[in-house]
């Protein structure tokens, strides 16, 4: 089955701290796609990154970085020098085609990040 | 960024009312989606349209009725809802559901629905 686990329900940090959000996935697909979305209090899910299964190169975008490790089925997200504006719920998602999932996004339950000044 | 818009942003309705949610995308996409987000539950996919054709209905009760008149607009018609239908309803769009390697969904701000 396809599954995404975000074990951290809530994380609270103080501004300027680094924070890592964990994401572990399960799939039998050989080709699949992983995503991170940010949901601020306004409600909209904001797309952050898409990574395909055959590209394990880590990515950095400003204060954001992603570590994809196929060996451990993990796709972790790190925010460096966190800011209050980073406070949101972050969702990891998997897209695959095994078992009739038809390429739908399978979302984790999300991690609520609170960054305090 | 106003690629996907949703109206209304908030809606309160009684169980006997009929209302509609509207979604519009300005990204030139061909696929549109409705999701339901309830408290403490994962996002649930409800309906998928690709090139105006419904390609997926995830066993959604008939009191929810989608409509996709063109690739830019998606509606969700609501009728005789229950209090447990109260949730955030999110619309999303993507280029083409069949384009597996590049297809990314972009979401609207959602409609917060409360059923009394």
């Amino acid at each position: 089955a396809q599954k995404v686990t975000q074990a951290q329900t809530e994380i609270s940090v103080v501004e300027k701290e680094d924070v890592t959000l964990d994401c572990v996935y399960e799939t039998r697909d050989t080709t699949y796609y992983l995503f991170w979305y940010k949901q601020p209090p306004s409600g909209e899910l904001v797309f952050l990154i898409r990574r395909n299964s055959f590209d394990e190169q880590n990515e950095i975008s400003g204060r954001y970085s992603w570590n994809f490790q196929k060996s451990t089925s993990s796709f972790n997200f790190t925010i460096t020098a966190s800011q209050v504006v980073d406070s949101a719920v972050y969702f990891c998602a998997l897209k695959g085609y095994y078992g009739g999932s038809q390429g739908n996004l399978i979302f984790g339950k999300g991690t609520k990040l609170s960054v305090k000044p | 960024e106003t690629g996907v818009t949703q109206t209304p942003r908030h809606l309160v309705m009684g169980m006997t009312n009929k209302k509609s949610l509207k979604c519009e995308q300005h990204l030139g996409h061909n696929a549109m989606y409705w999701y339901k987000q309830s408290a403490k539950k994962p996002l649930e996919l409800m309906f998928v349209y690709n090139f105006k054709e419904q390609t997926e209905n995830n066993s959604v009760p008939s009191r929810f009725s989608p409509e996709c008149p063109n690739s830019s607009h998606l509606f969700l018609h609501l009728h005789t809802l229950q209090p447990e239908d109260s949730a955030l309803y999110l619309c999303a769009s993507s280029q083409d559901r069949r384009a597996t390697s590049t297809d990314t969904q972009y979401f609207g701000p959602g409609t917060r629905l409360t059923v009394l």
Side-chain angles (χ1 to χ4, degrees):
Chain A
Q2 315 261 16
K3 186 179 177 182
V4 175
T5 301
Q6 294 181 256
Q8 305 149 308
T9 306
E10 291 193 43
I11 300 176
S12 182
V13 299
V14 176
E15 211 170 17
K16 297 184 183 177
E17 282 185 30
D18 298 347
V19 58
T20 295
L21 310 182
D22 297 332
C23 173
V24 174
Y25 61 92
E26 295 175 33
T27 181
R28 293 191 183 184
D29 280 310
T30 53
T31 300
Y32 52 89
Y33 305 88
L34 296 164
F35 300 78
W36 275 97
Y37 285 88
K38 172 184 179 179
Q39 187 176 37
S42 58
E44 177 180 357
L45 265 76
V46 178
F47 165 70
L48 296 178
I49 189 171
R50 180 186 70 239
R51 178 49 51 95
N52 60 47
S53 55
F54 39 90
D55 181 2
E56 285 193 71
Q57 191 170 5
N58 291 331
E59 181 153 342
I60 298 174
S61 175
R63 295 184 298 107
Y64 295 172
S65 62
W66 291 269
N67 183 294
F68 176 30
Q69 302 233 339
K70 239 175 160 176
S71 60
T72 55
S73 297
S74 65
F75 186 43
N76 296 338
F77 173 30
T78 297
I79 301 175
T80 303
S82 59
Q83 300 176 2
V84 173
V85 294
D86 296 326
S87 297
V89 180
Y90 291 85
F91 291 93
C92 180
L94 164 70
K95 181 166 78 166
Y97 296 83
Y98 180 83
S101 62
Q102 300 180 66
N104 293 332
L105 284 176
I106 309 298
F107 285 90
K109 293 187 177 181
T111 297
K112 182 178 181 181
L113 174 64
S114 298
V115 181
K116 303 190 184 309
Chain B
E1 180 66 51
T2 57
V4 181
T5 58
Q6 291 186 243
T7 55
R9 294 294 309 276
H10 300 272
L11 178 62
V12 179
M13 59 187 289
M15 290 192 284
T16 57
N17 291 158
K18 288 184 181 181
K19 296 287 185 183
S20 295
L21 309 184
K22 178 182 176 183
C23 174
E24 183 173 1
Q25 59 92 3
H26 310 274
L27 301 170
H29 289 166
N30 298 294
M32 297 189 79
Y33 311 75
W34 279 117
Y35 286 86
K36 176 183 178 182
Q37 186 178 31
S38 306
K40 300 183 180 179
K41 291 178 74 174
L43 277 146
E44 302 172 62
L45 179 64
M46 300 174 72
F47 302 103
V48 181
Y49 280 81
N50 205 42
F51 292 88
K52 300 190 297 179
E53 297 297 321
Q54 187 179 123
T55 59
E56 193 151 345
N57 175 340
N58 270 346
S59 304
V60 180
S62 59
R63 57 186 184 270
F64 295 91
S65 174
E67 179 190 1
C68 188
N70 55 62
S71 291
S72 299
H73 294 86
L74 183 66
F75 295 89
L76 188 62
H77 303 299
L78 314 172
H79 173 55
T80 321
L81 294 192
Q82 305 297 312
E84 58 266 27
D85 297 322
S86 298
L88 180 68
Y89 289 85
L90 289 159
C91 174
S93 72
S94 68
Q95 182 61 47
D96 181 348
R97 190 160 165 71
R98 299 166 301 183
T100 58
S101 64
T102 57
D103 203 50
T104 296
Q105 293 181 31
Y106 295 88
F107 287 78
T111 294
R112 175 71 63 186
L113 174 67
T114 302
V115 182
L116 302 176

